[in-house]
Amino acid sequence: MHGERVVVYTTDYCGWCERAKSLLAARGVRFREVWLPRTPEGRERLAEAAPFARSFPQILIDGEVVGGYSDLVARDRAGSLADLAACAEDV
């Protein structure tokens, strides 16, 4: 599941999207970005995974909706991003 454990749905002109991607990269977490303006099927997948999501980024970890940037920061403070990075090194 290389890079598939973490999926980040992004859109245009989204500073929070850039911050989320930067945080994941800084922690060594592999992720797949789905840029919605160029990925119509991504909209369908996001609607199925997080039907009430109305802000960006939307981040999924192991298929679970984490939420946005502030939710990602909370997980980072709890140490779960370090766990994800460690798993990526084992692959």
Side-chain angles (χ1 to χ4, degrees), residues 6-51:
V6 180
V7 180
V8 181
Y9 290 91
T10 63
T11 191
D12 289 332
Y13 312 109
C14 176
W16 298 116
C17 298
E18 295 304 317
R19 287 182 179 105
K21 293 187 302 182
S22 293
L23 176 58
L24 290 167
R27 298 299 184 262
V29 175
R30 293 186 208 174
F31 63 92
R32 181 170 60 92
E33 178 180 6
V34 179
W35 186 46
L36 294 179
R38 294 254 173 111
T39 315
E41 66 277 5
R43 291 178 187 270
E44 292 174 23
R45 287 193 306 255
L46 178 59
E48 290 172 12

Side-chain angles (χ1 to χ4, degrees), residues 5 78-88:
R5 292 194 65 194
S80 64
L81 294 187
D83 294 342
L84 282 171
C87 288

Side-chain angles (χ1 to χ4, degrees), residues 42-75:
R43 291 178 187 270
E44 292 174 23
R45 287 193 306 255
L46 178 59
E48 290 172 12
F52 300 105
R54 298 292 178 254
S55 62
F56 291 95
Q58 284 299 313
I59 302 158
L60 281 72
I61 297 176
D62 292 332
E64 174 191 343
V65 178
V66 170
Y69 175 72
S70 60
D71 302 297
L72 184 66
V73 168
R75 286 196 176 219

